Amino acid sequence: MKNRLFTALKACLTFARQIGQRYAKAMMGVVAAVLLLSGGAYAVASVVVSLGPDVAHLPIHEVVETVTPLPLEPQAAALDSHHFSLYRSDVSRSTDTADSLLKRLGIDDPAAAAFLRTDSKTQQGLFGRIGRSLKVEVNDANHLLVLSARWSPDDDGNFKRLVIEKKENTFNSRLETAPLAASTRLAGGAIQSSLFAATDEAQVPDAVAIQIAEIFSGDIDFYRDLRRGDRFSVVYETLEGDGEPLRAGRVLSAEFVNGGKSYQAMWFQQPAASAPQPQGEGLATHSLTKGGYYTLEGQSLRRAYLASPLAFSRVTSGFKMRFHPIQKKWAAHLGVDYAAPIGTPVRSVGDGVVEFAGVQNGFGNVIFIKHRNSHTTVYAHLSRIAVKRGQKVSQGQNIGATGATGWATGPHLHYEFRVNGVHQNPLTIARKSESIPVSPSAKPAFMRLASEAQLQLAAAAMLQSGSGQ
Ligand SMILES: [Zn+2]
């Protein structure tokens, strides 16, 4: 820092000298000002030159000021009596007790500990609660002045705030409710090992990572298709209490680059007047239909089939196939295998009717679902079956859980997609299935939002360029 200051000063003086030589008589003044702020945080040097009459002809004023230093003793006393507060923040843990919490927050205050141990609001609102955002204010003796915790238990737009405060040497506590403030966050990242590793690095909450996987679930199988170097950009709502993010809101737009191909999505609610009216509901013309995700060109991302029969989750994303499924006895392996812990929920990839639910050789517990156009999907080796033959199922509906029944050497889901009895690549079918466009009357409003979304996504994509490889 000092070097930089000297360089700035030297530059000033050199410049002043040059100016002086060139305008020897006309130079009125050279001012070099160096401002040192907060111990030399930065320096500003300025040179002011004005061409005027010869400096020798100007009258000279001399200003004399007497400076009397303050006596040392009062200064020392003032320093002694000066107290300051320290602020710290943390997150509550399920194992927190009055003592362990205060210790972690660097507070040494037996009176505060005694209060926390007996206060019922603290017992209910803080201890045994995981992930509550904490802020403390302590004095310079590490005594507690204020401890506050905030969390958002319900999806009602509010958050709770527990405040424990010291007033006139006694503590009191109160529980408040206040509205959450919505703000928009941009984030981006590149996949090195898993989607969650990348979203963690970008400080994107799990709820948002899962939304991204769901939004593109018609195009990308997040279990099997992720590639190193895939990238995501996301713009999402975050709901904050006292400036702390307490709840992840909806993803507003997202881009996922998978294997070099870019997929983009934007949340859009069609005005009811321009969309097909739901039957039997007297919606006012200004009301909105249920929203959904669309490509930026206006095609719905909702497809007839999901790319994967397993919902994306943190538990299964790190679960690797550590075995070879028994394949020798099968003429050919004509399905897709998903390694997953026993009990992982399995979902129907599309609307349909249960054709078979029970035990078959090799398959173990297996479900066959018949969809439109002679499409059939098969879910095998299940530990649990949650549907019955003849039952109607909808897309995404839970139908059972993964297992290792039948000819399986380890827990996994064997999944097949058949068209007229012939095996097909499920992902190809999912991507090919038709999508619904935005209605023509809503298109102008949609396109305005889409161009905004494009800009925001471009900004979000910039955020990942700085991150390490
Ligand atoms: Zn298989």
Side-chain angles (χ1 to χ4, degrees):
M1 177 48 73
K2 269 198 177 139
N3 278 342
R4 222 181 300 155
L5 286 186
F6 281 130
T7 313
L9 272 171
K10 229 159 81 185
C12 269
L13 293 173
T14 311
F15 185 43
R17 222 178 292 134
Q18 287 167 354
I19 300 275
Q21 280 160 8
R22 282 171 70 188
Y23 304 105
K25 283 198 162 184
M27 191 172 80
M28 188 178 125
V30 176
V31 179
V34 176
L35 297 174
L36 299 180
L37 290 182
S38 53
Y42 61 85
V44 177
S46 70
V47 177
V48 179
V49 177
S50 111
L51 307 176
D54 196 319
V55 69
H57 302 147
L58 290 173
I60 294 166
H61 299 281
E62 193 173 328
V63 179
V64 180
E65 239 181 281
T66 317
V67 178
T68 319
L70 288 168
L72 280 176
E73 267 181 32
Q75 284 195 66
L79 276 176
D80 277 348
S81 67
H82 178 75
H83 291 292
F84 54 89
S85 292
L86 293 166
Y87 298 86
R88 292 175 196 137
S89 52
D90 209 310
V91 171
S92 69
R93 301 177 187 172
S94 61
T95 53
D96 278 339
T97 62
D99 294 296
S100 72
L101 178 69
L102 292 180
K103 194 175 173 201
R104 190 165 83 245
L105 293 166
I107 297 167
D108 181 16
D109 190 338
F115 179 80
L116 294 185
R117 269 194 292 272
T118 53
D119 180 55
S120 63
K121 290 193 188 81
T122 307
Q123 294 295 326
Q124 284 167 22
L126 195 51
F127 297 136
R129 310 292 184 169
I130 193 166
R132 295 196 168 171
S133 154
L134 303 175
K135 273 185 188 160
V136 289
E137 182 184 345
V138 300
N139 66 15
D140 48 4
N142 279 323
H143 289 162
L144 180 66
L145 300 175
V146 184
L147 166 67
S148 60
R150 46 198 67 67
W151 67 97
S152 173
D154 305 306
D155 197 6
D156 62 354
N158 291 317
F159 73 100
K160 303 271 184 212
R161 186 198 294 123
L162 171 70
V163 184
I164 296 141
E165 201 169 9
K166 188 175 192 176
K167 277 217 174 116
E168 288 153 11
N169 288 324
T170 59
F171 287 96
N172 61 68
S173 67
R174 60 183 189 272
L175 188 61
E176 301 165 340
T177 300
L180 288 161
S183 69
T184 305
R185 250 207 87 192
L186 279 64
I191 315 292
Q192 298 303 325
S193 56
S194 75
L195 177 59
F196 280 119
T199 52
D200 282 352
E201 194 178 334
Q203 296 185 325
V204 168
D206 282 11
V208 171
I210 288 166
Q211 278 186 69
I212 293 172
E214 285 302 311
I215 289 165
F216 296 111
S217 62
D219 286 302
I220 302 165
D221 179 346
F222 278 83
Y223 280 95
R224 309 182 67 249
D225 295 330
L226 284 200
R227 299 285 175 268
R228 202 182 151 88
D230 280 0
R231 299 192 316 274
F232 74 89
S233 312
V234 62
V235 179
Y236 64 94
E237 276 180 339
T238 173
L239 301 170
E240 297 174 349
D242 300 336
E244 295 287 320
L246 297 182
R247 200 170 253 283
R250 173 182 291 144
V251 168
L252 302 173
S253 60
E255 176 175 25
F256 204 94
V257 180
N258 175 233
K261 184 169 168 26
S262 161
Y263 298 90
Q264 290 180 322
M266 181 184 93
W267 172 260
F268 183 66
Q269 265 182 320
Q270 299 209 48
S274 64
Q277 289 286 337
Q279 303 264 311
E281 278 178 62
L283 291 170
T285 45
H286 64 270
S287 72
L288 297 168
T289 58
K290 203 175 152 212
Y293 289 95
Y294 292 81
T295 67
L296 299 196
E297 291 74 42
Q299 291 290 322
S300 169
L301 282 170
R302 210 180 125 76
R303 300 290 174 79
Y305 300 107
L306 302 169
S308 168
L310 297 182
F312 194 72
S313 75
R314 189 176 277 277
V315 174
T316 45
S317 73
F319 196 81
K320 292 276 180 294
M321 197 95 83
R322 284 184 299 270
F323 59 90
H324 261 284
I326 301 169
Q327 289 181 17
K328 283 172 195 160
K329 292 206 172 189
W330 300 28
H333 186 257
L334 293 165
V336 177
D337 291 318
Y338 291 89
I342 288 180
T344 301
V346 175
R347 60 188 184 178
S348 173
V349 294
D351 297 344
V353 176
V354 178
E355 201 175 35
F356 179 88
V359 183
Q360 279 190 11
N361 251 0
F363 278 143
N365 291 325
V366 64
I367 299 168
F368 286 69
I369 294 175
K370 199 166 165 44
H371 309 282
R372 290 189 309 154
N373 307 327
S374 306
H375 292 175
T376 306
T377 50
V378 181
Y379 311 79
H381 308 314
L382 303 174
S383 61
R384 189 172 58 80
I385 290 176
V387 290
K388 287 192 175 73
R389 192 196 158 117
Q391 184 181 334
K392 269 192 184 174
V393 290
S394 52
Q395 184 180 68
Q397 185 179 331
N398 178 267
I399 54 172
T402 58
T405 56
W407 298 338
T409 55
H412 76 286
L413 173 70
H414 171 92
Y415 169 61
E416 291 180 24
F417 201 112
R418 299 177 184 175
V419 179
N420 284 318
V422 180
H423 293 89
Q424 302 280 337
N425 180 348
L427 190 57
T428 312
I429 301 280
R431 285 180 178 165
K432 270 205 299 208
S433 64
E434 67 203 279
S435 66
I436 307 131
V438 171
S439 69
S441 59
K443 199 72 191 272
F446 179 88
M447 291 317 289
R448 274 196 300 279
L449 283 171
S451 62
E452 263 173 52
Q454 190 84 63
L455 287 175
Q456 287 191 316
L457 284 175
M462 302 279 281
L463 295 173
Q464 72 202 28
S465 53
S467 68
Q469 288 300 300

PDB file of all heavy atoms in Angstrom, residues 325 327 330 333 335-337 381 412-415, ligand 1:
ATOM      1  N   PRO A 325     -25.420 -55.643 -12.814  1.00  0.00           N
ATOM      2  CA  PRO A 325     -26.700 -56.364 -12.756  1.00  0.00           C
ATOM      3  C   PRO A 325     -26.560 -57.708 -13.465  1.00  0.00           C
ATOM      4  O   PRO A 325     -25.772 -57.826 -14.401  1.00  0.00           O
ATOM      5  CB  PRO A 325     -27.659 -55.463 -13.510  1.00  0.00           C
ATOM      6  CG  PRO A 325     -26.960 -54.179 -13.729  1.00  0.00           C
ATOM      7  CD  PRO A 325     -25.504 -54.425 -13.597  1.00  0.00           C
ATOM      8  N   GLN A 327     -27.129 -60.075 -16.046  1.00  0.00           N
ATOM      9  CA  GLN A 327     -27.653 -59.881 -17.398  1.00  0.00           C
ATOM     10  C   GLN A 327     -27.549 -61.145 -18.231  1.00  0.00           C
ATOM     11  O   GLN A 327     -28.191 -61.265 -19.263  1.00  0.00           O
ATOM     12  CB  GLN A 327     -26.875 -58.767 -18.105  1.00  0.00           C
ATOM     13  CG  GLN A 327     -27.175 -57.400 -17.539  1.00  0.00           C
ATOM     14  CD  GLN A 327     -26.418 -56.312 -18.265  1.00  0.00           C
ATOM     15  OE1 GLN A 327     -25.930 -56.526 -19.363  1.00  0.00           O
ATOM     16  NE2 GLN A 327     -26.316 -55.152 -17.652  1.00  0.00           N
ATOM     17  N   TRP A 330     -30.598 -62.883 -19.340  1.00  0.00           N
ATOM     18  CA  TRP A 330     -31.500 -62.130 -20.186  1.00  0.00           C
ATOM     19  C   TRP A 330     -30.910 -62.117 -21.580  1.00  0.00           C
ATOM     20  O   TRP A 330     -29.715 -61.898 -21.759  1.00  0.00           O
ATOM     21  CB  TRP A 330     -31.653 -60.689 -19.684  1.00  0.00           C
ATOM     22  CG  TRP A 330     -32.202 -60.581 -18.298  1.00  0.00           C
ATOM     23  CD1 TRP A 330     -32.089 -61.499 -17.293  1.00  0.00           C
ATOM     24  CD2 TRP A 330     -32.952 -59.507 -17.767  1.00  0.00           C
ATOM     25  NE1 TRP A 330     -32.710 -61.049 -16.182  1.00  0.00           N
ATOM     26  CE2 TRP A 330     -33.255 -59.837 -16.433  1.00  0.00           C
ATOM     27  CE3 TRP A 330     -33.410 -58.300 -18.299  1.00  0.00           C
ATOM     28  CZ2 TRP A 330     -33.986 -58.991 -15.622  1.00  0.00           C
ATOM     29  CZ3 TRP A 330     -34.123 -57.461 -17.474  1.00  0.00           C
ATOM     30  CH2 TRP A 330     -34.417 -57.810 -16.151  1.00  0.00           C
ATOM     31  N   HIS A 333     -29.986 -56.956 -22.704  1.00  0.00           N
ATOM     32  CA  HIS A 333     -30.428 -55.993 -21.707  1.00  0.00           C
ATOM     33  C   HIS A 333     -31.030 -54.801 -22.411  1.00  0.00           C
ATOM     34  O   HIS A 333     -30.332 -53.993 -23.018  1.00  0.00           O
ATOM     35  CB  HIS A 333     -29.263 -55.572 -20.824  1.00  0.00           C
ATOM     36  CG  HIS A 333     -29.717 -54.697 -19.718  1.00  0.00           C
ATOM     37  ND1 HIS A 333     -29.537 -53.347 -19.734  1.00  0.00           N
ATOM     38  CD2 HIS A 333     -30.385 -54.981 -18.591  1.00  0.00           C
ATOM     39  CE1 HIS A 333     -30.062 -52.831 -18.643  1.00  0.00           C
ATOM     40  NE2 HIS A 333     -30.590 -53.803 -17.931  1.00  0.00           N
ATOM     41  N   GLY A 335     -33.034 -52.304 -21.263  1.00  0.00           N
ATOM     42  CA  GLY A 335     -33.586 -51.240 -20.428  1.00  0.00           C
ATOM     43  C   GLY A 335     -32.496 -50.312 -19.964  1.00  0.00           C
ATOM     44  O   GLY A 335     -31.361 -50.376 -20.413  1.00  0.00           O
ATOM     45  N   VAL A 336     -32.871 -49.455 -19.058  1.00  0.00           N
ATOM     46  CA  VAL A 336     -31.937 -48.508 -18.466  1.00  0.00           C
ATOM     47  C   VAL A 336     -31.896 -48.807 -16.975  1.00  0.00           C
ATOM     48  O   VAL A 336     -32.941 -49.003 -16.357  1.00  0.00           O
ATOM     49  CB  VAL A 336     -32.429 -47.066 -18.706  1.00  0.00           C
ATOM     50  CG1 VAL A 336     -31.503 -46.069 -18.043  1.00  0.00           C
ATOM     51  CG2 VAL A 336     -32.553 -46.779 -20.194  1.00  0.00           C
ATOM     52  N   ASP A 337     -30.708 -48.890 -16.396  1.00  0.00           N
ATOM     53  CA  ASP A 337     -30.590 -49.177 -14.969  1.00  0.00           C
ATOM     54  C   ASP A 337     -30.228 -47.919 -14.195  1.00  0.00           C
ATOM     55  O   ASP A 337     -29.310 -47.195 -14.574  1.00  0.00           O
ATOM     56  CB  ASP A 337     -29.520 -50.246 -14.737  1.00  0.00           C
ATOM     57  CG  ASP A 337     -29.960 -51.596 -15.264  1.00  0.00           C
ATOM     58  OD1 ASP A 337     -31.136 -51.939 -15.051  1.00  0.00           O
ATOM     59  OD2 ASP A 337     -29.140 -52.285 -15.893  1.00  0.00           O
ATOM     60  N   HIS A 381     -37.597 -54.690 -10.280  1.00  0.00           N
ATOM     61  CA  HIS A 381     -36.774 -54.922  -9.073  1.00  0.00           C
ATOM     62  C   HIS A 381     -37.263 -54.104  -7.880  1.00  0.00           C
ATOM     63  O   HIS A 381     -36.490 -53.807  -6.965  1.00  0.00           O
ATOM     64  CB  HIS A 381     -35.287 -54.592  -9.321  1.00  0.00           C
ATOM     65  CG  HIS A 381     -34.687 -55.255 -10.518  1.00  0.00           C
ATOM     66  ND1 HIS A 381     -34.879 -56.586 -10.796  1.00  0.00           N
ATOM     67  CD2 HIS A 381     -33.891 -54.760 -11.513  1.00  0.00           C
ATOM     68  CE1 HIS A 381     -34.218 -56.889 -11.920  1.00  0.00           C
ATOM     69  NE2 HIS A 381     -33.629 -55.797 -12.378  1.00  0.00           N
ATOM     70  N   HIS A 412     -31.296 -51.406  -7.557  1.00  0.00           N
ATOM     71  CA  HIS A 412     -31.392 -50.495  -8.698  1.00  0.00           C
ATOM     72  C   HIS A 412     -32.770 -50.625  -9.333  1.00  0.00           C
ATOM     73  O   HIS A 412     -33.503 -51.576  -9.076  1.00  0.00           O
ATOM     74  CB  HIS A 412     -30.291 -50.774  -9.732  1.00  0.00           C
ATOM     75  CG  HIS A 412     -30.507 -51.977 -10.598  1.00  0.00           C
ATOM     76  ND1 HIS A 412     -30.349 -53.259 -10.133  1.00  0.00           N
ATOM     77  CD2 HIS A 412     -30.860 -52.102 -11.905  1.00  0.00           C
ATOM     78  CE1 HIS A 412     -30.576 -54.115 -11.111  1.00  0.00           C
ATOM     79  NE2 HIS A 412     -30.909 -53.444 -12.199  1.00  0.00           N
ATOM     80  N   LEU A 413     -33.095 -49.638 -10.119  1.00  0.00           N
ATOM     81  CA  LEU A 413     -34.348 -49.687 -10.864  1.00  0.00           C
ATOM     82  C   LEU A 413     -34.026 -50.042 -12.312  1.00  0.00           C
ATOM     83  O   LEU A 413     -33.183 -49.409 -12.944  1.00  0.00           O
ATOM     84  CB  LEU A 413     -35.043 -48.316 -10.830  1.00  0.00           C
ATOM     85  CG  LEU A 413     -36.286 -48.197 -11.725  1.00  0.00           C
ATOM     86  CD1 LEU A 413     -37.440 -49.020 -11.171  1.00  0.00           C
ATOM     87  CD2 LEU A 413     -36.696 -46.745 -11.882  1.00  0.00           C
ATOM     88  N   HIS A 414     -34.694 -51.082 -12.808  1.00  0.00           N
ATOM     89  CA  HIS A 414     -34.586 -51.411 -14.233  1.00  0.00           C
ATOM     90  C   HIS A 414     -35.813 -50.805 -14.904  1.00  0.00           C
ATOM     91  O   HIS A 414     -36.941 -51.067 -14.514  1.00  0.00           O
ATOM     92  CB  HIS A 414     -34.547 -52.934 -14.421  1.00  0.00           C
ATOM     93  CG  HIS A 414     -34.647 -53.350 -15.850  1.00  0.00           C
ATOM     94  ND1 HIS A 414     -33.541 -53.564 -16.637  1.00  0.00           N
ATOM     95  CD2 HIS A 414     -35.720 -53.573 -16.645  1.00  0.00           C
ATOM     96  CE1 HIS A 414     -33.939 -53.902 -17.853  1.00  0.00           C
ATOM     97  NE2 HIS A 414     -35.252 -53.916 -17.888  1.00  0.00           N
ATOM     98  N   TYR A 415     -35.580 -49.974 -15.899  1.00  0.00           N
ATOM     99  CA  TYR A 415     -36.651 -49.205 -16.526  1.00  0.00           C
ATOM    100  C   TYR A 415     -36.631 -49.422 -18.037  1.00  0.00           C
ATOM    101  O   TYR A 415     -35.566 -49.420 -18.660  1.00  0.00           O
ATOM    102  CB  TYR A 415     -36.448 -47.721 -16.180  1.00  0.00           C
ATOM    103  CG  TYR A 415     -37.301 -46.751 -16.948  1.00  0.00           C
ATOM    104  CD1 TYR A 415     -38.691 -46.799 -16.856  1.00  0.00           C
ATOM    105  CD2 TYR A 415     -36.729 -45.761 -17.740  1.00  0.00           C
ATOM    106  CE1 TYR A 415     -39.480 -45.895 -17.562  1.00  0.00           C
ATOM    107  CE2 TYR A 415     -37.506 -44.855 -18.433  1.00  0.00           C
ATOM    108  CZ  TYR A 415     -38.881 -44.928 -18.350  1.00  0.00           C
ATOM    109  OH  TYR A 415     -39.647 -44.033 -19.036  1.00  0.00           O
TER     110      TYR A 415
HETATM  111 ZN    ZN B   1     -31.656 -53.522 -16.154  1.00  0.00          ZN
END
